[in-house]
Amino acid sequence: RAPRGSEMTATVAAPAVRLASASIASPRTRGAPSPASRPVAARTRTRASSSSSVETAASSAELAAAKRAVLEAVESTSRGLRCDDARRAAVERAISALERLNPTPAPAASPLQAGSWEVMYSTAPPPSNGALGPFPGVAYQDIDYDGGTYVNRLVLPRDWLGATLSARWERIGEDNSLWRVIFDDVVVFAFRRRLFSKKFKDVERVWDQTFVDADTRVVRAARTMKGLRLEKARGRRAVAGDEDDCVFVMKRVS
């Protein structure tokens, strides 16, 4: 979740994420998982492999159906920008069902994360949800898995306005799903020309990679581990400054 343009000054002063006793490691570093990380790791364990081709086919069909259900649920929401509480709750149910079918045992350590991803739905505040102020656009996440960096791109029609948020990420110990994300800077463009930029200091988030495969990702993000696991926050729209989690549903572009 990126800080909103109009509240950048306040966001820069936000405290660093509190990771309890979780240890921080690079994507390739191995360490003992923290007690706080185990419940999330459990959620991301893959289901047992089927022993027959019939069971495997059924599992694949179930996964495909769950993906379709999510896309159908978000179809009329303008990527989450136009979504009432009832629809948001319905979308959350569809996302939760998909997360339970996650086929990747350790999403946080999976090279499948690499590439460019289009945000199809989010409960995050602007600009991470695809809007810059009152102007809607399309948000993308470009992940350099080997380099441990990513860029959030916000693109508006005809490139008359846009923004990029650059950040670094680190896997948290050997947790199967958690990244620590450190924001570096945000740049706002008009007709592809830089208008202004802002560097961040001590602005971090925790990302929970709850689903990833060849073409779909689901990520939950929050300021703190506590906020990430706050069940009452699920299915609601986050606002800038919240500790509670927000969700992103993405499809692969490249």
Side-chain angles (χ1 to χ4, degrees):
R1 182 177 67 181
R4 180 160 47 181
S6 63
E7 298 186 4
M8 286 178 189
T9 302
T11 305
V12 171
V17 65
R18 297 184 290 279
L19 296 175
S21 60
S23 59
I24 303 302
S26 69
R28 291 185 178 78
T29 301
R30 298 293 182 264
S34 70
S37 72
R38 287 174 190 140
V40 179
R43 288 207 307 271
T44 61
R45 293 193 189 107
T46 185
R47 300 190 313 163
S49 300
S50 299
S51 58
S52 70
S53 59
V54 174
E55 290 173 338
T56 301
S59 178
S60 298
E62 185 181 11
L63 182 57
K67 288 182 182 180
R68 286 196 302 272
V70 171
L71 292 179
E72 289 171 1
V74 307
E75 186 175 9
S76 61
T77 68
S78 297
R79 303 175 191 270
L81 295 175
R82 295 183 178 88
C83 193
D84 60 23
D85 290 342
R87 173 54 64 89
R88 199 170 290 114
V91 172
E92 174 63 26
R93 289 193 294 270
I95 293 172
S96 296
L98 178 62
E99 289 172 320
R100 288 193 290 270
L101 301 179
N102 172 47
T104 306
S110 174
L112 288 171
Q113 300 282 356
S116 181
W117 300 86
E118 179 180 348
V119 177
M120 306 302 296
Y121 174 85
S122 180
T123 58
S128 296
N129 64 355
L132 194 57
F135 306 112
V138 180
Y140 299 88
Q141 286 187 3
D142 300 332
I143 295 181
D144 180 351
Y145 179 81
D146 292 330
T149 63
Y150 85 94
V151 175
N152 269 1
R153 290 185 292 120
L154 175 60
V155 180
L156 273 68
R158 296 181 295 278
D159 287 328
W160 78 272
L161 196 61
T164 60
L165 171 68
S166 300
R168 294 161 284 137
W169 59 268
E170 300 173 339
R171 189 179 176 191
I172 299 178
E174 284 192 347
D175 191 281
N176 282 347
S177 65
L178 295 180
W179 283 0
R180 172 190 179 220
V181 174
I182 308 100
F183 293 161
D184 289 328
D185 60 49
V186 63
V187 181
V188 176
F189 299 88
F191 299 105
R192 299 188 181 183
R193 294 185 177 183
R194 180 187 296 242
L195 286 181
F196 67 88
S197 62
K198 185 78 173 181
K199 291 189 178 295
F200 297 113
K201 182 179 180 181
D202 299 329
V203 179
E204 304 179 0
R205 298 292 184 269
V206 183
W207 279 12
D208 188 1
Q209 324 281 333
T210 59
F211 183 99
V212 66
D213 68 2
D215 57 25
T216 304
R217 285 176 67 223
V218 178
V219 174
R220 295 187 182 272
R223 288 178 181 268
T224 66
M225 298 284 278
K226 179 181 177 181
L228 191 66
R229 298 194 175 107
L230 196 63
E231 291 298 327
K232 70 179 183 180
R234 303 295 167 89
R236 56 177 284 287
R237 185 169 185 175
V239 297
D242 268 1
E243 302 246 339
D244 301 343
D245 80 315
C246 53
V247 65
F248 296 84
V249 176
M250 291 163 278
K251 71 174 184 179
R252 184 180 295 280
V253 176
S254 63

